[in-house]
Amino acid sequence: LQQRRGFRLSAPAAIQVTVRDALNQALDEELERDERVFLLGEEVAQYDGAYKISRGLWKKYGDKRVIDTPISEMGFAGIAVGAAMAGLRPVCEFMTFNFSMQAIDQVINSAAKTCYMSAGSIAVPIVFRGPNGASAGVAAQHSQCFAAWYGHCPGLKVVSPWSSEDAKGLLKAAIRDDNPVVMLESELLYGVPFEMSEQAQSKEFVIPIGKAKIERQGTHVTLVAHSRPVGHCMEAAAVLSKEGVECEVINLRTIRPMDIETVEASVVKTNHLVTVEGGWPQFGVGAEICARIMEGPAFNYLDAPAVRVTGADVPMPYAKILEDNSIPQVKDIVFAVKKALNI
C-alpha cells in the first residue's frame, strides 16, 4: 500500500559485524537463553578472552557461567566433558587448537565415543572452540589446521566458519546440538567485518550443521573451501572473471557431516573441481572431497582431473616469506583453476 502511494520501502537493515563480535553475540544469546550453558577456558573470564571473544560476558553472567581455568587443557576439557555428561552444555575454549593436542584423549575417547558406547543413553552436548590453522608469525606449534584430524573421527561434528554469519549461526547451532561439536575458527578473521543480514541479527538465527553455502554462482569451475581460504577463492574468482572464467565458490562451513550433495550438484554443472584448504595435503579435506566425487555420480561429469590447493607439506616456518609460501594464496588458486581448465 505504501509503495502504491509513492513511498519507498527501505531495504532490510544489513550491518557490518566482525567475526569476533558475531561470536560474542552468539555466546551472549545462548548464555541468556539456556542456564545450562557455560563457558570455560584460559583467560575467558576476567581478561575477556585471549582474543576478546568473551568480552563482557564474565561481568554479565558471573563466575559460575564464565570460568577461568588453569593452563591445563587435559584438565579443563575433562571437567567440561563430565559436566556435559551430567546435563550441562559447556563451551570449552582452547587458546589455539594446537593446544587441543594436550586434551585429545578427552575430545575423542571421552566426548566423541560415549554416546555410541552407551547405546545412546549418555549424550555429550559440548562445544570445543577456538582459533585453528595459521595465524601470522607464530611458527609450527601454533599454525596447524585440525579440520582433517577431527573430521576423521566418528562421534564428532566439525564446523569451520568463514563469515560473521557463519560464525554466529554455526556457534549457536553447535551449542544447541546434543553431540560434541568442534568449531574451528580463524584467528586472522576475528577482526574482519562482514555484512550481517537482518535475519542473522535475530536471537533465533541458526545455521544448520552439515549444509554448505554457494557464495558465488559460476559455470566453468567449482571451487570448494572452508574458513579463511573461502575469501581467497572469492578474490581468485573476481580475478578470473575478468578473463572470462566464471567460478562457482562453495563455502563448505561443515567438515563433518560433509555436504557432498551441494558439491556434486555444482560439479555436474561446471564439469571441473578445485579444492582449497590451509591444511597439509596428505589425507586432507580436499583429498576427502575428491574421493567422494570420484566414488559418486558427479565423477562422470568431470572433464578433467580435480585439483587440490593446500598448505605446504612442512611444519609452518616462522620467517614471513617462507610462511607466505606455505599457505595457499590467491595466485595459487588462479593457477590451479587454469590447470584444471587447461588454459
Side-chain angles (χ1 to χ4, degrees), residues 156-197:
L156 294 177
K157 294 185 178 181
V158 183
V159 298
S160 182
W162 169 54
S163 67
S164 298
E165 286 197 6
D166 289 349
K168 181 179 180 181
L170 288 171
L171 181 51
K172 288 172 73 74
I175 292 171
R176 297 181 188 191
D177 202 289
D178 286 334
N179 299 280
V181 181
V182 173
M183 182 153 172
L184 304 171
E185 302 153 13
S186 168
E187 181 185 337
L188 294 175
L189 289 176
Y190 282 154
V192 177
F194 289 86
E195 189 172 275
M196 185 175 279
S197 67

Side-chain angles (χ1 to χ4, degrees), residues 292-333:
R292 299 276 283 274
I293 291 299
M294 188 188 73
E295 292 167 351
F299 174 73
N300 294 315
Y301 290 83
L302 281 174
D303 287 342
V307 179
R308 291 182 294 155
V309 180
T310 71
D313 196 21
V314 297
M316 185 63 69
Y318 172 72
K320 184 175 185 343
I321 190 167
L322 296 177
E323 181 182 64
D324 289 344
N325 280 282
S326 299
I327 304 169
Q329 307 291 341
V330 172
K331 62 181 176 60
D332 301 316
I333 301 169

Side-chain angles (χ1 to χ4, degrees), residues 12-291:
I15 58 173
Q16 292 282 316
V17 177
T18 65
V19 172
R20 173 182 289 107
D21 289 341
L23 291 166
N24 182 267
Q25 277 180 33
L27 289 170
D28 189 8
E29 290 169 8
E30 293 306 300
L31 283 163
E32 181 181 63
R33 187 186 73 90
D34 189 341
E35 64 180 12
R36 297 172 297 172
V37 175
F38 71 99
L39 174 62
L40 79 166
E42 296 149 351
E43 299 181 347
V44 299
Q46 295 186 44
Y47 190 67
D48 280 343
Y51 304 98
K52 301 298 179 272
I53 303 300
S54 54
R55 184 174 51 219
L57 300 180
W58 173 67
K59 289 180 181 177
K60 184 173 181 179
Y61 295 101
D63 290 326
K64 290 187 177 181
R65 305 290 302 283
V66 184
I67 303 168
D68 277 331
T69 65
I71 302 173
S72 175
E73 282 76 15
M74 174 66 85
F76 68 74
I79 289 170
V81 171
M85 290 178 178
L88 299 179
R89 306 187 83 86
V91 180
C92 178
E93 177 179 307
F94 294 121
M95 195 176 289
T96 159
F97 259 95
N98 294 265
F99 301 162
S100 74
M101 289 291 93
Q102 301 293 325
I104 199 162
D105 181 61
Q106 300 290 1
V107 178
I108 306 301
N109 286 328
S110 298
K113 297 177 181 177
T114 294
C115 185
Y116 177 84
M117 293 181 72
S118 67
S121 63
I122 302 175
V124 188
I126 186 171
V127 179
F128 300 101
R129 57 153 297 273
N132 170 71
S135 179
V138 291
Q141 293 188 344
H142 299 77
S143 297
Q144 185 175 333
C145 175
F146 286 89
W149 284 53
Y150 286 121
H152 178 65
C153 302
L156 294 177
K157 294 185 178 181
V158 183
V159 298
S160 182
W162 169 54
S163 67
S164 298
E165 286 197 6
D166 289 349
K168 181 179 180 181
L170 288 171
L171 181 51
K172 288 172 73 74
I175 292 171
R176 297 181 188 191
D177 202 289
D178 286 334
N179 299 280
V181 181
V182 173
M183 182 153 172
L184 304 171
E185 302 153 13
S186 168
E187 181 185 337
L188 294 175
L189 289 176
Y190 282 154
V192 177
F194 289 86
E195 189 172 275
M196 185 175 279
S197 67
E198 189 175 39
Q199 178 191 11
Q201 296 167 47
S202 161
K203 289 186 177 182
E204 291 307 311
F205 175 71
V206 172
I207 291 174
I209 293 174
K211 186 62 182 169
K213 180 184 179 185
I214 298 175
E215 298 286 352
R216 179 186 175 118
Q217 296 283 346
T219 53
H220 295 122
V221 61
T222 298
L223 298 178
V224 186
H226 65 94
S227 191
R228 188 165 174 258
V230 175
H232 295 338
C233 288
M234 294 293 280
E235 291 180 45
V239 170
L240 288 160
S241 181
K242 295 175 183 177
E243 301 180 30
V245 176
E246 295 301 330
C247 302
E248 183 146 293
V249 179
I250 296 178
N251 174 9
L252 208 52
R253 296 201 294 198
T254 304
I255 307 301
R256 184 184 186 102
M258 186 178 286
D259 182 5
I260 203 67
E261 292 80 13
T262 294
V263 180
E264 284 179 335
S266 180
V267 170
V268 167
K269 180 171 71 170
T270 67
N271 311 117
H272 298 88
L273 173 64
V274 174
T275 67
V276 185
E277 64 188 306
W280 295 319
Q282 192 154 321
F283 313 113
V285 174
E288 174 67 16
I289 294 168
C290 292

